Amino acid sequence: RTEAVRSRMKVTERGQTRGYETSWTFRTYDLDQLRRLLSSEPRLDLCATYGFDHDPDGERDLDDGRDDHVLVLRRR
């Protein structure tokens, strides 16, 4: 699926407030789709999987039941 996200943020610094807005589109995959995608590209190896919290000690499995994954890929 293709998803669209918009984020808004207000930053106050030294008494001044500024607003920021970011929009982006991304593709989501279910676990089977992701596995097929990874296996279809022989030039890449999956080295590690983490969550969106980017905890370097929190390596996870792809099938851990969560939907947030950051994949570390290496070119062969």
Side-chain angles (χ1 to χ4, degrees), residues 1-5 24-30 32-34 36-37 52 67 69:
R1 282 184 345 198
T2 301
E3 304 284 342
V5 173
W24 68 94
T25 302
F26 61 94
R27 168 93 166 114
T28 60
Y29 299 88
D30 66 29
D32 290 335
Q33 290 172 327
L34 181 57
R36 283 195 303 273
L37 179 63
F52 281 179
D67 292 333
H69 291 90

Side-chain angles (χ1 to χ4, degrees), residues 49-55 58-60 64 66 68-70:
T49 305
Y50 298 92
F52 281 179
D53 56 1
H54 301 282
D55 177 4
E59 191 169 344
R60 303 181 354 203
D64 67 358
R66 291 182 52 184
D68 63 324
H69 291 90
V70 175

